[in-house]
Structures are given as structure tokens and as C-alpha cells.
Amino acid sequence: MIIEETEVETQIAFQDRKRIGIMGGTFSPPHLGHLIVAQQVGEQLGLDKIYFMPDAEPPHVDEKESIPAKHRESMVRLSIAGNPLFDIETIELERGGKSFTIDTMKLLTAMHPDTDYYFIIGGDMVEYLPKWERIDELVQLVQFVGVARPGYGRESIYPIIWVDAPLIDISSTEIRKMVKTGRSIRYLVKEDVKDYILKEGLYLDDED
Ligand code: ATP
């Protein structure tokens, strides 16, 4: 009798757990690749929500960080508008400084002990995982979910759930170049994001 009650309690505890996807990135700018990937992962894994989490300052310093974070946050908000599955997590922007995923996920799991986190990465990130700060600790804390990206394989020494989604050959780097050279980015980003980029004059300078 006691055993049965424990089993029922365990089952309820399991069912009560939230399943949340985290899509971390620089989002400079957010594009349709991000949205398609997040939607596919959310639906295929039956997640309750996907949070887009812009970094304040990526751990690897490079040129794509040169537009202010407020613009990236605004564009993420415009991108996810109208999709009840999507939301934004601004914890790294509020914290500022370098964003190590392990520090962020430790904070989030401490704040939400009833939640299982699924950390979504594109195929290009997989080969860098061994270089991520305290990766061995991070893989204990979150389940990595991989989505293939053109030109990148699936080999990983870490456990990754691969989700099948259409291969989307869109990158923020390419979009920034297209804006700079006056090419159209229509249909590569949400219409509102395209208008925002043009209105604010983003990605026109050499250092953007
Ligand atoms: P950049 O070209 O500046 O490196 P990006 O297009 O890779 O940018 P990020 O904001 O760096 O965009 O990416 C956030 C996350 O989304 C990363 O895990 C990245 O691998 C993934 N991602 C971005 N674009 C795609 C895509 N087209 N297909 C699959 N995953 C993607």
C-alpha cells in the first residue's frame, strides 16, 4: 500500500514538471531560421514554452556584438510577437557582462526547481561544446537539443537529442552583410524586424 502511494506521488511529481526550451544567442538580428528551429523543437518535444535568451556579451568576442543590446532585445520581441509558444528571457541582459551558459542555467534551475530545461543549439555550435565553460556540469543540468544546420555534422561527445527540421541556410552574419550592401532581407527576417533594421539604420557601419 505504501509503495503504491509513493508510485502515484512520483508519477504526479513527474507530470507536474515543466518542460522549457531555451534558445540562447546573440540574435543580431533574429531571423526566420531561429523561429523555424524553435517552433519545430517546441512541437516535436512537446515543450510548454520556448524562451529566446539574448546574451549581453557573448563569451567569444567578435564583431557581431557591436550593436546595442537594446536593439537585439527589441528585434527578438518583434520576432516572437503573436506566438504563444514563444517568450523572451532577459536574465543575461539584466546581469550584463559575459554570459556563460552554465551560470545562467544554474540561476534558472535554482529559481525554477520544477522545470526541466532543453537547451537548443544549431549544428554549428556542436563542435564548440567542448570549449563551453564548465560543460561537464552544464550537461548534467540541461538536455541539449540539436538542430542540423547546412554545412555541419552531428558528431558530439555529449548527449544531444536531434530534432528533424527543414535545413535553413540563413545566418545573422549573412543578413548583416546583405543590409550593408543594400540587398533585400525581406522574407529572411520577420517583416517588423526588417522595418526596424531599416528605421534604426542598423548594420550599415563597417563595425556593425
Ligand atoms: P551569426 O551568423 O552572427 O553567428 P547566427 O545566425 O548563428 O548568427 P545566433 O544568434 O548566433 O545566430 O544563433 C543562436 C542559435 O541559433 C545558435 O544555437 C545557432 O546555432 C542557432 N541557429 C541560428 N541560425 C540557425 C539555422 N539557420 N539553422 C539552425 N540553427 C540555427
Side-chain angles (χ1 to χ4, degrees):
M1 186 62 187
I2 292 170
I3 290 170
E4 276 172 22
E5 274 177 12
T6 314
E7 273 174 6
V8 169
E9 278 167 19
T10 311
Q11 232 173 355
I12 290 170
F14 179 73
Q15 285 167 355
D16 277 355
R17 294 192 67 72
K18 288 208 191 70
R19 293 155 54 80
I20 299 294
I22 301 278
M23 181 100 187
T26 304
F27 304 115
S28 186
H31 51 70
L32 293 197
H34 296 127
L35 300 175
I36 292 167
V37 160
Q39 184 70 29
Q40 291 294 322
V41 170
E43 282 184 20
Q44 291 185 42
L45 298 186
L47 303 183
D48 297 309
K49 208 94 186 166
I50 309 257
Y51 285 92
F52 286 69
M53 187 169 75
D55 48 35
E57 196 183 313
H60 52 285
V61 178
D62 65 18
E63 89 288 353
K64 74 180 173 184
E65 208 15 39
S66 53
I67 72 159
K70 73 171 170 65
H71 285 314
R72 296 187 288 110
E73 178 183 347
S74 299
M75 291 189 286
V76 167
R77 289 189 187 281
L78 291 171
S79 297
I80 64 177
N83 187 335
L85 180 64
F86 293 167
D87 211 331
I88 185 168
E89 173 56 76
T90 55
I91 189 169
E92 293 195 342
L93 297 178
E94 282 145 24
R95 205 163 81 236
K98 290 219 184 295
S99 312
F100 287 123
T101 305
I102 180 65
D103 296 329
T104 308
M105 294 316 300
K106 272 175 116 170
L107 277 174
L108 286 176
T109 46
M111 284 159 66
H112 307 284
D114 62 336
T115 298
D116 292 328
Y117 284 101
Y118 295 79
F119 199 94
I120 305 162
I121 52 171
D124 57 309
M125 300 298 276
V126 172
E127 63 180 290
Y128 292 108
L129 280 185
K131 296 198 174 120
W132 283 30
E133 184 79 5
R134 281 164 284 150
I135 181 68
D136 292 323
E137 210 181 319
L138 185 58
V139 292
Q140 304 296 320
L141 213 54
V142 302
Q143 170 65 62
F144 276 101
V145 178
V147 183
R149 202 167 175 179
Y152 297 92
R154 291 187 173 206
E155 298 79 44
S156 170
I157 54 171
Y158 295 102
I160 295 181
I161 298 175
W162 286 93
V163 164
D164 278 325
L167 277 178
I168 312 288
D169 201 359
I170 302 177
S171 73
S172 301
T173 304
E174 215 39 54
I175 290 170
R176 292 194 299 273
K177 279 188 200 155
M178 292 171 83
V179 173
K180 201 164 294 173
T181 53
R183 288 168 61 196
S184 170
I185 57 166
R186 187 169 223 170
Y187 306 129
L188 299 178
V189 297
K190 288 264 293 260
E191 190 83 1
D192 287 349
V193 171
K194 170 183 73 68
D195 293 343
Y196 185 95
I197 290 172
L198 299 180
K199 181 171 72 85
E200 298 289 337
L202 304 182
Y203 308 122
L204 294 174
D205 299 336
D206 271 350
E207 62 274 16
D208 278 351

